[in-house]
Amino acid sequence: MHILLLLSVFQHTLAGLQPLCRDDERSALLQFRQSLTVAQCSFDDYPSAYPKVASWSQEEENSDCCLWDGIKCNKDTGHVIRLDLTSSCLHGSINSSSSLFQLVHLEWLVLSNNHFNFSEIPSEITNLSRLTALSLSNSSFYGQIPAELLELSKLESLDLSFNNFHLKLQNPSLANLADKLANLKVLHLGQVNIASTVPHALANLSSLFFLSLTDCLLQGEFPAEIFQLPKLAFLTLTYNHYLTGKLTQLQFLRLAENQLEGSVPNSIFELRNLQALDLSYNNLSGTVDLNMFLLNLKSLTSLVLSSNKFSLLTGTNVSTNLPNFTVIGFRSCSISEFPYFLHNQDQLVSLDLSSNEIAGQVPQWLLNVSTKSLEYLNFSDNLLSGFGQDLFVLPWSKMNTLDLGFNKLQGPLPVPSSVSIYSYLVSNNQLTGEIPIQICSLNGLHALDLSYNNLSSMLPECLGNFSVELSALKLQAINFYGIIPQTFMNGTNLMMIDFSNNSLQGRVPKSLANCVKLKFLNLGDNQITDVFPSWLGTLPELAVLILKFNNFHGEIEEPQTGFEFPKLRIIDLSHNRFTGNLPSKHFHCWNAMKDIKASKLTYLQVELMPYNVLGFTYYGYADYSLTMSNKCIEIEYPKLSNLITAIILSDNNFVGEIPASIASLKGLRTLNLSNNNLRGYIPLTLSNLTVMESLDLSSNKLTGQIPQQLVELTSLAFFDVSHNHLKGAIPQGTQFSTFTNDWFAGNPGLCGEPLSRKCGNSEASPAEDDLPSESVLAFGWKIVLAGYASGTIIGVVLGHIFCTRKYEWLIKTFRLHPESSGRRRRHTHRM
Ligand SMILES: *[C@@H]1O[C@H](CO)[C@@H](O)[C@H](O)[C@H]1NC(C)=O
Ligand SMILES: *[C@@H]1O[C@H](CO)[C@@H](O)[C@H](O)[C@H]1NC(C)=O
Ligand SMILES: *[C@@H]1O[C@H](CO)[C@@H](O)[C@H](O)[C@H]1NC(C)=O
Ligand SMILES: *[C@@H]1O[C@H](CO)[C@@H](O)[C@H](O)[C@H]1NC(C)=O
Ligand SMILES: *[C@@H]1O[C@H](CO)[C@@H](O)[C@H](O)[C@H]1NC(C)=O
Ligand SMILES: *[C@@H]1O[C@H](CO)[C@@H](O)[C@H](O)[C@H]1NC(C)=O
Ligand SMILES: *[C@@H]1O[C@H](CO)[C@@H](O)[C@H](O)[C@H]1NC(C)=O
Ligand SMILES: *[C@@H]1O[C@H](CO)[C@@H](O)[C@H](O)[C@H]1NC(C)=O
Ligand SMILES: *[C@@H]1O[C@H](CO)[C@@H](O)[C@H](O)[C@H]1NC(C)=O
Ligand SMILES: *[C@@H]1O[C@H](CO)[C@@H](O)[C@H](O)[C@H]1NC(C)=O
Ligand SMILES: *[C@@H]1O[C@H](CO)[C@@H](O)[C@H](O)[C@H]1NC(C)=O
Ligand SMILES: *[C@@H]1O[C@H](CO)[C@@H](O)[C@H](O)[C@H]1NC(C)=O
């Protein structure tokens, strides 16, 4: 719910001729503008953003500041009374001497959706004593909210939300605020760090119409009197354990993602004016009878009960005078058939019946439901078998999101009729036949996921170019054969292409070089015959390149200028027929693997277009997923974090030595060079790769000793040097004491723990002539006492272990990491 919508409820209308603005106020405005920078507006994220201050100028013909963007003056006095700079791409600090506080006639100040560089709210805000509306939402303000702000006794609307928990309301407290700002109608404190119980004083705010205390770290019980506020119509809460009292005026009730337990409170059915009810993502249990909602809450248009622990009984005998719904969310409600009340619903916009147990064919009547209004349809994760015999064009003409994934759909691929569709997801079914040519007409598509079906078809020629919007194209494992079309156009938005696990032949299409936004390319497990596509190195964003299990061959040539793979983090060329030396010059260029720390943990993902229902925005993501395997272990990454890095060149015919240059890739976490024909020593410089977690050099022809310095790699969880010609003592201590003997097997010259062969005196310490040519003294014989590092966060990991139990250790070091501080409303597309 955008707060401005609510603000516009209040009357601040102005009209008529504007006198010239006052000199002092004009110069205060210009000075304010001068103190900030206008950052690059990112229209992708925020289409309505533009730098309003761009129109402000000192030029004579434009000197009436009352006509500038974002400003309104009082028509009689000429004083600036409104300043609205929402989403203006402003960046910079505000302090107590800001000229903003000279604009003492302001009644309305909106600075939301900018970046004020973690400024504290200056106490001079008290200068703006006429303010009735103040919004500092989502603007990177910081610190304790000053007591002076509570002096603004005329405030009717206060929005301090979404400053990422950086704003605190503790001293003064929420109770103080409620005492002082008695005229509040709108109070939005989402993600303000309040960290207290909910004060009873809030119940004194008799004009309150909108109250959001989402994510405020509140504890304790919610005071029942607040529900009795006569005007309260919109309430969103977290940490609410208590729901009682008369809320009969309440029109919107959103208790999603609280910790509500027990059964659905009966008092809800007394909220006769309720239009929208969202109880999703709580721990409510028992059985819930849909009839109770249908019979009692006649004004309901939005009912979201998703993801609780109750079973929803949807059998109904109510057939007349039903509420007309726009939003139905019954995700994960233990439903086993399509609720019959949907029969007569012709205004639905969003219908989510995913993660239930609905089996069999989609009934014919459902294909008549809301055909002209439905935009979002999610039936994924059920047991559906099809849409009837002949049907393959779906009737809904406004559909923009269709998710039928994870069912048992058979027959031909159903194609949406809506040209405005942007997410079309039908992975993990049993669909057969060709990809219908109609797909090529869906020219607004952002995401297409047909993975894991039995489509057995050539790739349609239109694939690279039918929609300039297309950003995620997932066609894994669907029996595609033939040649990848050469049709990727200039100007495409493609960020993710996954054609893995098919039977594609021919070469990597050169037109992929047109996909300048590409971040993720997976052509693994096909029959592609080509040399290394070094020309992909021009792609400025490419982070993940998977070519494993194909017929790639030949030497990897030195990179040319401009072909450097600047953002590459994961490369997997395993199981091909590459020859020649390892691409050491390439290693030098892969800059993205040189950083050890990312400033913030994020996931590599493609953001899809946000989707709006009744003021709530849902964000879709297509995650990169990936499987990486060692000999005995396969790790599946349903999501990849921005920290992950890997070079996997195993099972080829690389020869020569391991180049020392690999040590410049300081952020490297996985290196697999196994099953090649590498010779020479294990380079000492590998000990420079301090975040390394998995190192596999097995089945080569390496000689010499295992460098003692490798004990410094305290994150190392997997280390396999088996089947080489190594000799001498295995280093002891730190991680090495956790390694299993298989990892050293097949090297007759090795001795010491964990092998049973003890070292003789001559082997106990490395002999001079065994040492690699690099200077040992440069590194010293540092003994690492720091203990074993606990491993780092790589992402969400599912591990499959094939061999000994010892490998469990590896799995445990990868911690599950939920997305931190993400907006709770985010809604993840599972792709
Ligand atoms: C406030 O910021 C301005 C720059 O924007 C700076 O010149 C001034 O010294 C600062 N004043 C205080 C009190 O920090
Ligand atoms: C943000 O604040 C930091 C220090 O507080 C300062 O170094 C930096 O220049 C500021 N950035 C802008 C755009 O004002
Ligand atoms: C506050 O307002 C007064 C005029 O009422 C003005 O003189 C003073 O400079 C203002 N303070 C700030 C910090 O702008
Ligand atoms: C916060 O503002 C930024 C622009 O500064 C915008 O991209 C983002 O979507 C806004 N977030 C919310 C929750 O409105
Ligand atoms: C509400 O206001 C009345 C009168 O101003 C005051 O006596 C009472 O203590 C307030 N209630 C709370 C809970 O603060
Ligand atoms: C829901 O209940 C389960 C146990 O039944 C508990 O583990 C979980 O944390 C609860 N979730 C919330 C959000 O309270
Ligand atoms: C409708 O079903 C409810 C139980 O779900 C029952 O109590 C009620 O009597 C039924 N009404 C009619 C008219 O059959
Ligand atoms: C639902 O809409 C129909 C017509 O579109 C109308 O006749 C009916 O009264 C509406 N129901 C309610 C409960 O508003
Ligand atoms: C769907 O609606 C059409 C026209 O409104 C009607 O002719 C047809 O019988 C309906 N089909 C079903 C299965 O209800
Ligand atoms: C693609 O665009 C680039 C410049 O943006 C241009 O040099 C190139 O010729 C274009 N290629 C095609 C096939 O249009
Ligand atoms: C390895 O690290 C040492 C010390 O940090 C540094 O002097 C050396 O240049 C590094 N070697 C390489 C190949 O990066
Ligand atoms: C559909 O529902 C599933 C399971 O409830 C969810 O994971 C997925 O993200 C939803 N799809 C879309 C496109 O919202």
Side-chain angles (χ1 to χ4, degrees), residues 772-826:
S773 53
E774 294 159 84
S775 163
V776 173
L777 293 175
F779 294 90
W781 292 96
K782 198 165 48 172
I783 296 167
V784 179
L785 297 173
Y788 318 134
S790 53
T792 40
I793 306 153
I794 287 202
V796 181
V797 178
L798 305 176
H800 303 281
I801 304 157
F802 304 134
C803 297
T804 68
R805 304 199 58 208
K806 193 85 179 183
Y807 297 101
E808 277 171 43
W809 199 85
L810 173 62
I811 296 303
K812 284 190 198 127
T813 63
F814 299 122
R815 267 171 284 161
L816 198 82
H817 197 90
E819 209 167 344
S820 58
S821 81
R823 300 280 317 282
R824 293 195 167 208
R825 260 179 228 158
R826 290 207 158 173

Side-chain angles (χ1 to χ4, degrees), residues 90 123 193 235 364 407 462 477 555 557 595-596 778:
L90 296 173
S123 49
N193 181 347
L235 177 63
Q364 289 301 301
N407 276 289
C462 69
E555 296 190 16
E557 285 167 15
D595 283 344
I596 293 191

Side-chain angles (χ1 to χ4, degrees), residues 298 321-324 346-347:
K298 292 287 183 194
N321 203 16
L322 284 174
N324 292 314
D346 61 358
Q347 292 166 30

Side-chain angles (χ1 to χ4, degrees), residues 26-78:
R26 178 174 46 244
S27 79
L29 285 167
L30 286 171
Q31 221 179 316
F32 178 59
R33 178 189 119 150
Q34 223 63 63
S35 70
L36 301 168
T37 54
V38 177
Q40 186 91 43
C41 280
S42 168
F43 296 100
D44 290 349
D45 306 342
Y46 221 54
S48 61
Y50 72 100
K52 299 200 174 68
V53 295
S55 69
W56 298 11
S57 86
Q58 254 162 328
E59 288 159 31
E60 191 111 350
E61 67 271 21
N62 190 17
S63 64
D64 187 354
C65 69
C66 298
L67 299 174
W68 292 349
D69 239 351
I71 289 172
K72 287 233 165 112
C73 299
N74 179 299
K75 64 176 172 169
D76 300 323
T77 64

Side-chain angles (χ1 to χ4, degrees), residues 37 91-93 117:
T37 54
H91 192 162
S93 308
N117 201 15

Side-chain angles (χ1 to χ4, degrees), residues 680-747:
Y681 297 122
I682 298 175
L684 278 178
T685 52
L686 282 185
S687 65
N688 273 24
L689 301 178
T690 53
V691 295
M692 182 86 82
E693 292 170 1
S694 168
L695 177 59
D696 190 347
L697 305 175
S698 64
S699 299
N700 279 292
K701 300 196 167 68
L702 300 171
T703 50
Q705 296 203 338
I706 300 170
Q708 177 68 27
Q709 287 86 339
L710 294 188
V711 300
E712 293 172 27
L713 300 181
T714 50
S715 298
L716 204 56
F718 181 87
F719 177 77
D720 192 345
V721 292
S722 63
H723 302 286
N724 277 293
H725 305 311
L726 299 168
K727 60 181 176 176
I730 294 171
Q732 300 296 320
T734 67
Q735 302 301 94
F736 273 76
S737 59
T738 66
F739 293 168
T740 136
N741 54 5
D742 322 5
W743 297 350
F744 301 97
N747 290 287

